[in-house]
Amino acid sequence: MKPQIVNAKMNKLLFRSKLVKLGILSAILVSLALMTGSVDPGNSVHITDEGQTRTIQTNELDAYSILRTENYELGVNDRVSYTRGTNNEGHITIYRAFEVSVTADGETQSYATVGGDVSDALSALDVNLDEDDIIDREFSEELFPDMEINITRYDYEDRQEETEIEYDVEYVDTTEHTLGYENVLVYGENGVRTTYYRDTYIDGEYADTEELGEEITKEPVTMVIERGAVTAHPTSEIYSPSNTALVNGIPANYTRVLSGRSTAYTAYEGAGTASGRRAQVGVVAVNPNVIPYGSELYIVSQDGSLVYGYAVAGDTGSALLNGHALVDLYMNTYEDCCNWGAVYVDVYVLSEGNG
């Protein structure tokens, strides 16, 4: 019987030992809890989410643990702030992320954020603006849900176009050659006109062209052509006494024109004239009452086959005074006189003489 009594006592001792150990372990756990603050029946936390605030009692100190315990779900881009006061109160604020869109270069990007301004969104999406680009928002404007930010790209390209300027042609008439004769004195060269343009592209698409101006970058060179102006080679040795040009074989400018019969004469070398001039080819005899001495003339046959040319009224004769001839033309030789004969001519008075 003694062994049984011993066993019963031993069991009681062992049971008491377990109770003591359990009590000690519980005391240790409580002490640890009190030291870390996880057991704080007076810990109030105010949770604000999307404008709504509620207050809870919790033993948790970690904000995310508190929210998880209270079944708050957080998005990837949501943000949380947690502050604790000295009176066992805490404040948790949940900032819910929202999206804004930025459209540039034909592409729309979404940006999730809890706040900030337009410049923050551009920076986050690495969207840069050139000085010519246009944005439909102010950089300092605060972001809001579903905000749309649009950027219009403006690009400019300057270019230039060259066009030819055709050269002019200037004719210099000469009585030393007959009609149909031409000789290039100066070869013509086309000039260049440069026009400057600026093309505008909006978001990569052509939109408009502005003409900035133009300039002549190369002056044209006028072609100068010498051409014959008489219908036949002139007899007169006087050339353009009044610098009068010929057009189609006749003077471009004259005071009057007389038509009548012409004859030809000659004299010995050194002979004088009625006006005191020396007799020579180009000094012709007239009726001074009709054509005053000193008048500058141009004489050509009416059919254009003979040209006496430029002349000066400086002599007279009986056939001229009685009207038998309008003009008597001086020639160097008798043979020249015979070759001319009696020809009806037009006498163009270029300037009136004074005797």
Side-chain angles (χ1 to χ4, degrees):
M1 296 298 292
K2 289 183 179 180
Q4 293 180 355
I5 294 173
V6 173
N7 288 339
K9 290 181 178 180
M10 289 297 294
N11 287 334
K12 288 180 180 181
L13 291 172
L14 290 173
F15 179 74
R16 289 177 181 175
S17 175
K18 289 180 179 179
L19 288 176
V20 171
K21 291 179 179 179
L22 182 60
I24 294 172
L25 179 61
S26 298
I28 292 172
L29 291 175
V30 170
S31 297
L32 289 173
L34 291 174
M35 291 176 64
T36 59
S38 61
V39 178
D40 189 354
N43 192 19
S44 297
V45 177
H46 308 285
I47 302 174
T48 300
D49 182 20
E50 298 183 316
Q52 301 294 321
T53 301
R54 57 186 286 254
T55 302
I56 64 168
Q57 299 296 322
T58 182
N59 295 324
E60 299 288 348
L61 295 179
D62 178 69
Y64 291 98
S65 297
I66 296 171
L67 295 176
R68 188 164 49 250
T69 302
E70 298 298 322
N71 297 319
Y72 283 91
E73 294 185 359
L74 297 176
V76 175
N77 297 299
D78 293 341
R79 296 291 180 266
V80 173
S81 69
Y82 182 29
T83 59
R84 295 190 62 196
T86 58
N87 55 353
N88 293 330
E89 282 191 329
H91 295 271
I92 295 176
T93 302
I94 301 174
Y95 299 96
R96 295 293 181 180
F98 57 86
E99 287 193 348
V100 300
S101 64
V102 177
T103 300
D105 304 313
E107 178 185 1
T108 300
Q109 300 184 72
S110 295
Y111 171 55
T113 182
V114 296
D117 57 24
V118 171
S119 63
D120 294 326
L122 298 181
S123 178
L125 295 175
D126 196 24
V127 176
N128 299 312
L129 274 73
D130 293 332
E131 60 180 357
D132 296 320
D133 296 337
I134 294 178
I135 184 171
D136 63 353
R137 303 283 184 178
E138 296 293 334
F139 290 108
S140 58
E141 184 176 352
E142 291 187 0
L143 301 175
F144 56 84
D146 300 322
M147 182 181 193
E148 295 180 353
I149 304 169
N150 297 291
I151 296 171
T152 304
R153 301 289 194 190
Y154 278 80
D155 294 306
Y156 301 96
E157 291 185 5
D158 291 342
R159 59 184 175 85
Q160 61 188 48
E161 291 182 359
E162 293 183 347
T163 56
E164 283 192 338
I165 305 173
E166 292 189 2
Y167 60 81
D168 294 327
V169 178
E170 177 184 328
Y171 290 95
V172 177
D173 293 328
T174 174
T175 58
E176 295 183 13
H177 298 281
T178 57
L179 293 175
Y181 169 84
E182 288 189 354
N183 177 46
V184 178
L185 300 178
V186 178
Y187 285 93
E189 293 183 15
N190 287 338
V192 176
R193 176 181 286 105
T194 302
T195 306
Y196 301 94
Y197 298 96
R198 174 167 293 168
D199 296 330
T200 300
Y201 294 85
I202 301 177
D203 290 331
E205 297 291 331
Y206 169 79
D208 188 32
T209 296
E210 176 188 3
E211 183 176 323
L212 302 179
E214 65 177 25
E215 64 175 333
I216 296 176
T217 49
K218 179 184 177 183
E219 293 286 348
V221 177
T222 299
M223 175 178 280
V224 180
I225 300 176
E226 180 186 47
R227 65 182 179 183
V230 294
T231 55
H233 190 77
T235 301
S236 174
E237 297 174 352
I238 298 176
Y239 297 102
S240 186
S242 58
N243 297 317
T244 300
L246 299 179
V247 178
N248 295 325
I250 63 174
N253 300 292
Y254 52 88
T255 61
R256 56 191 174 120
V257 59
L258 303 172
S259 299
R261 184 170 178 268
S262 71
T263 55
Y265 77 104
T266 188
Y268 60 88
E269 185 177 353
T273 62
S275 65
R277 289 179 171 80
R278 182 175 65 84
Q280 68 177 92
V281 177
V283 177
V284 299
V286 298
N287 182 343
N289 295 319
V290 178
I291 303 174
Y293 292 145
S295 296
E296 295 179 341
L297 312 172
Y298 187 80
I299 303 169
V300 59
S301 66
Q302 290 183 346
D303 63 3
S305 61
L306 295 174
V307 176
Y308 188 76
Y310 291 105
V312 177
D315 205 356
T316 190
S318 58
L320 303 162
L321 295 174
N322 62 25
H324 182 67
L326 175 64
V327 63
D328 199 12
L329 310 177
Y330 186 89
M331 303 288 179
N332 279 324
T333 67
Y334 177 75
E335 182 180 359
D336 291 338
C337 293
C338 294
N339 289 334
W340 184 272
V343 178
Y344 280 87
V345 296
D346 290 327
V347 177
Y348 295 89
V349 180
L350 307 179
S351 68
E352 302 288 344
N354 55 8

